[in-house]
Amino acid sequence: MSDWTTFGRIDEDGTVYVRTGEGERVVGSWQAGTPEEGLAHFARRYADLLTEVELLETRLGNGSADPGHTLTAVRKLLAGMPEAHVVGDIPTLTARLERLAAKSEEKAGEAKAARDAARVEAVARKTALVEEAEKLAAEATGWKAAGDRLKEILDEWKTIRGIDKKTDGELWKRFAAARDGFTRRRGAHFASLDAQRKQAQGGKEELVAEAEKLSDSTEWNATAARLKELMNEWKAAPRAAKEAEQKLWERFRAAQDAFFTRRSEVFSARDAEQKAALGKRQELLTQAEALDVDADPKAAQAALRDIQGQWHDSGRVSREAAAGLERRLRAVEDKVRSAMDSAWRRVEPSANPMLDQMRKQVAEAEQKLAKAQAAGDAKRIKEAQAALDSKKAFLALAEQA
């Protein structure tokens, strides 16, 4: 602000002047205090003006302002510069405003060009939709699909903006005519369906036969998806005679209910099993996290091995729940491993009975794996292999230490 005050002065009677490229001009009068305070007052006005210019520049630069509105504001400021009641570097600010005006005008032109291009694109999009609707109205025989597509076209139509009223009205007339033509043609088609009822009955009998065949399936996902597809096909198919339609529908629905009831029972049993397993693992985890590792690492390790064995025998839990529980158990394992490492470093390997004990546990785990493999039990094999890998890993770490 002190620099800006150098662009002005106050004479003895309080008249305030600003220096410009053309000389001095009067910008006001100051009687409320010292000349320095007066110059500071008018310099603050200049600062406010400068802030306004900087804000216009920033908004134009980051695209948050409309270039046309910015140009109007800049021109208004430029028009007022010759009579602005401020003290500051008016020539520099005027030049800055002129540059901003030029940039605003350029961006306004770009915006107009963008709007014009958007209008052309919008007209092209609606024209394409109209042409598609006219083709559907004249040629389509897939009544449901065509009707759905016309609805989609209407929904898309409502999202397109920026077309002049006259052009939009003409395109709408064509679209409305196409939609009305399709509706009339579809009505005439369904008016002739009575002669096709018998054929429709045969098609629905095939759907019922497939549904009844699938009702005993245990491929839950694939069968459920296929039954839903069959339901969609049923809805899309023409209706048979009223009595035949009702009987076929009862058989079709019964086949679906039989499958989904069995699936629900299986899923409920599985959920109950997983819930029980989750409760068991949470209980084991509570025991593991309560181990006093620092007081007796060896006892904590033995207790953890027992917990790990029960953990593997606890059953399956959902993938989402298992991830968090496994992460917490690994934290306990790491804590016990660290404590044992510290204890083993204080004992000579030859005097460490823990290694012999761990080797025995590895041997026992290998025997369990061999029994599971001999029995051909995939679940036991997987669990025994996991237990063996874990014990081997502990032994390897102990031998390295």
Side-chain angles (χ1 to χ4, degrees):
M1 187 176 296
S2 61
D3 289 339
W4 297 334
T5 60
T6 62
F7 288 89
R9 69 179 180 85
I10 299 179
D11 63 14
E12 294 178 355
D13 64 359
T15 302
V16 184
Y17 298 86
V18 66
R19 299 184 183 91
T20 68
E22 292 77 23
E24 291 185 336
R25 66 174 174 84
V26 176
V27 295
S29 177
W30 180 259
Q31 305 294 333
T34 65
E36 289 77 10
E37 292 173 340
L39 286 175
H41 170 76
F42 284 92
R44 280 193 293 272
R45 288 187 176 183
Y46 178 84
D48 293 340
L49 193 59
L50 180 59
T51 298
E52 186 175 355
V53 173
E54 290 173 345
L55 183 60
L56 288 171
E57 290 175 332
T58 299
R59 289 179 175 174
L60 182 66
N62 61 26
S64 62
D66 178 81
H69 293 166
T70 301
L71 181 59
T72 300
V74 171
R75 286 174 174 170
K76 183 178 179 180
L77 289 173
L78 274 172
M81 289 304 294
E83 298 178 358
H85 299 296
V86 299
V87 170
D89 189 355
I90 289 179
T92 298
L93 187 57
T94 300
R96 188 170 178 177
L97 281 168
E98 290 172 347
R99 290 194 298 273
L100 182 56
K103 187 174 181 180
S104 299
E105 190 170 0
E106 178 185 350
K107 284 187 173 289
E110 293 173 353
K112 182 178 182 302
R115 287 194 299 272
D116 291 343
R119 177 187 175 280
V120 171
E121 182 183 358
V123 171
R125 287 178 62 192
K126 283 199 171 181
T127 300
L129 292 176
V130 167
E131 291 173 351
E132 182 182 357
E134 290 173 339
K135 185 175 182 180
L136 288 172
E139 302 175 5
T141 56
W143 305 109
K144 185 178 185 305
D148 290 343
R149 179 55 190 153
L150 285 172
K151 292 178 182 178
E152 292 172 358
I153 290 175
L154 179 58
D155 291 338
E156 184 177 351
W157 184 284
K158 294 176 181 178
T159 66
I160 302 173
R161 300 286 187 273
I163 302 178
D164 62 275
K165 187 174 182 180
K166 179 181 177 182
T167 303
D168 196 49
E170 292 173 351
L171 289 172
W172 173 254
K173 287 179 181 178
R174 289 175 59 189
F175 173 71
R179 188 173 57 171
D180 290 345
F182 171 81
T183 300
R184 288 192 299 271
R185 197 163 62 87
R186 182 177 57 181
H189 168 79
F190 282 107
S192 66
L193 284 182
D194 287 344
Q196 304 174 21
R197 297 297 187 188
K198 189 173 182 179
Q199 181 180 355
Q201 180 176 339
K204 287 195 171 180
E205 286 174 347
E206 292 179 2
L207 295 178
V208 169
E210 183 176 354
E212 289 175 340
K213 183 178 180 180
L214 291 172
S215 64
D216 294 329
S217 173
T218 57
E219 296 181 1
W220 309 116
N221 293 336
T223 302
R226 180 54 187 156
L227 285 173
K228 290 177 182 178
E229 290 175 357
L230 291 177
M231 175 63 82
N232 291 333
E233 292 178 26
W234 180 284
K235 292 177 180 178
R239 293 181 62 83
K242 185 176 181 180
E243 183 178 353
E245 179 82 13
Q246 183 61 32
K247 290 181 179 180
L248 288 171
W249 169 249
E250 290 173 357
R251 288 173 56 195
F252 182 70
R253 191 64 182 174
Q256 284 193 320
D257 289 344
F259 169 79
F260 285 111
T261 298
R262 286 193 309 104
R263 187 183 70 161
S264 178
E265 291 172 351
V266 171
F267 283 11
S268 295
R270 185 179 65 186
D271 291 343
E273 180 183 345
Q274 290 186 349
K275 184 177 181 180
L278 176 60
K280 179 62 176 178
R281 288 197 178 186
Q282 288 174 332
E283 178 183 344
L284 292 171
L285 188 57
T286 299
Q287 297 175 17
E289 291 176 336
L291 294 174
D292 192 349
V293 179
D294 296 330
D296 191 345
K298 183 176 180 181
Q301 184 186 53
L304 180 60
R305 289 198 189 96
D306 182 60
I307 289 172
Q308 290 171 326
Q310 296 181 61
W311 184 279
H312 290 299
D313 295 337
S314 62
R316 295 176 59 85
V317 299
S318 66
R319 183 177 302 176
E320 295 78 7
L325 296 174
E326 293 284 356
R327 187 163 50 249
R328 290 170 60 189
L329 183 63
R330 284 196 298 271
V332 176
E333 293 172 348
D334 292 342
K335 185 177 180 181
V336 171
R337 187 182 301 112
S338 177
M340 289 300 298
D341 287 346
S342 298
W344 288 334
R345 282 194 291 270
R346 295 192 296 269
V347 180
E348 291 295 327
S350 59
N352 192 341
M354 186 64 67
L355 292 175
D356 289 338
Q357 182 180 354
M358 294 178 72
R359 292 188 183 103
K360 290 179 181 178
Q361 291 174 347
V362 169
E364 292 173 357
E366 290 174 340
Q367 292 175 2
K368 288 183 178 180
L369 175 60
K371 290 179 180 180
Q373 291 172 337
D377 189 327
K379 181 179 179 182
R380 285 176 54 198
I381 292 173
K382 183 178 179 180
E383 293 173 348
Q385 185 65 60
L388 176 59
D389 293 343
S390 176
K391 294 181 186 300
K392 282 185 175 181
F394 274 117
L395 177 59
L397 288 173
E399 288 175 341
Q400 291 175 4

